Amino acid sequence: MTTELSLTGADLDLDTLAGFEQARPHVTLSDAARQQMQTSVDTVRRVIDTERVCYGINTGFGALARKHISRNKLIQLQYNLVRSHACGVGETLPATVVRRIMLLKANSLAIGNSGIRPQVIDTMLALLNHDVLPVIPARGSVGASGDLAPLAHLALALIGEGEAHHQGRRLEGADVLSAARQKPVQLEAKEGLALLNGTQ
């Protein structure tokens, strides 16, 4: 097995996923993924600049999709989304599962269709590479709409408000990111939604 794994969003196969726990390669974003992601980030910024109505960027979510969000509240909208959905309960997922969630989430965002900056995924991969594993409760996903609650707990760790396990210790807040030599992510428009969408 390789000791390096570069994510493109297009070629992570089942054999690599199955062997990930044993191989534990150092995971990075490919240059192609970075370009793809930046293109979608630029699209989000154009939507904001032109004030075009676009779901999840300047509207509410779900039943509130017709609710327009003013430009000065777009960032707060993303934080509110993450915090409101971090409501999982029960036992925490085992480390092997959390590692795969992080790998699959990073890979899906590397496709470049979600409007999230590469540096957000760099932070997620830094946690993975340092084996700083967010505490994700096993119960709370709503299934058909995605793994909203579990992924919200992952997102909390990225913004300096979550918890993680590292070398037998349970870390909280900014200490989670410090263990991977990172600083809390400052979310931009649509990034909370991008982190929560999906079925990892």
Side-chain angles (χ1 to χ4, degrees):
M1 287 288 199
T2 180
T3 57
E4 296 283 336
L5 177 59
S6 180
L7 299 179
T8 67
D11 54 9
L12 178 63
D13 58 32
L14 288 175
D15 288 341
T16 302
L17 185 61
F20 182 76
E21 193 63 27
Q22 182 178 355
R24 297 288 297 283
H26 182 82
V27 188
T28 59
L29 276 175
S30 69
D31 289 341
R34 292 179 185 283
Q35 292 174 0
Q36 293 161 184
M37 294 175 73
Q38 188 57 52
T39 297
S40 70
V41 169
D42 293 342
T43 298
V44 170
R45 290 174 177 166
R46 281 196 299 275
V47 166
I48 295 169
D49 289 342
T50 60
E51 298 186 355
R52 194 177 87 210
V53 175
C54 191
Y55 179 81
I57 297 176
N58 51 22
T59 73
F61 308 103
L64 298 175
R66 295 182 183 275
K67 173 74 173 175
H68 181 262
I69 308 299
S70 61
R71 186 167 183 161
N72 67 336
K73 294 182 179 177
L74 299 184
I75 303 303
Q76 190 63 49
L77 175 70
Q78 301 303 310
Y79 281 91
N80 289 350
L81 179 68
V82 171
R83 291 166 178 155
S84 67
H85 283 72
C87 56
V89 296
E91 69 278 9
T92 58
L93 294 174
T96 55
V97 174
V98 174
R99 289 187 193 102
R100 284 191 174 97
I101 289 171
M102 296 172 78
L103 177 63
L104 288 169
K105 186 65 190 174
N107 187 67
S108 71
L109 293 173
I111 295 170
N113 291 335
S114 300
I116 190 168
R117 293 166 295 150
Q119 52 264 47
V120 179
I121 309 311
D122 288 337
T123 302
M124 186 186 303
L125 293 178
L127 294 180
L128 178 62
N129 290 327
H130 285 86
D131 210 35
V132 181
L133 304 178
V135 172
I136 301 178
R139 298 180 183 275
S141 180
V142 295
S145 296
D147 297 329
L148 300 179
L151 291 174
H153 286 275
L154 169 58
L156 274 187
L158 298 177
I159 64 174
E161 298 180 13
E163 298 177 290
H165 292 117
H166 179 58
Q167 297 180 345
R169 296 181 300 144
R170 187 158 172 150
L171 307 175
E172 296 181 359
D175 290 341
V176 170
L177 293 147
S178 294
R181 304 186 186 97
Q182 299 293 305
K183 293 181 179 179
V185 166
Q186 303 296 314
L187 293 177
E188 292 191 2
K190 199 177 181 293
E191 291 186 332
L193 180 62
L195 288 167
L196 267 61
N197 270 348
T199 52
Q200 276 65 53

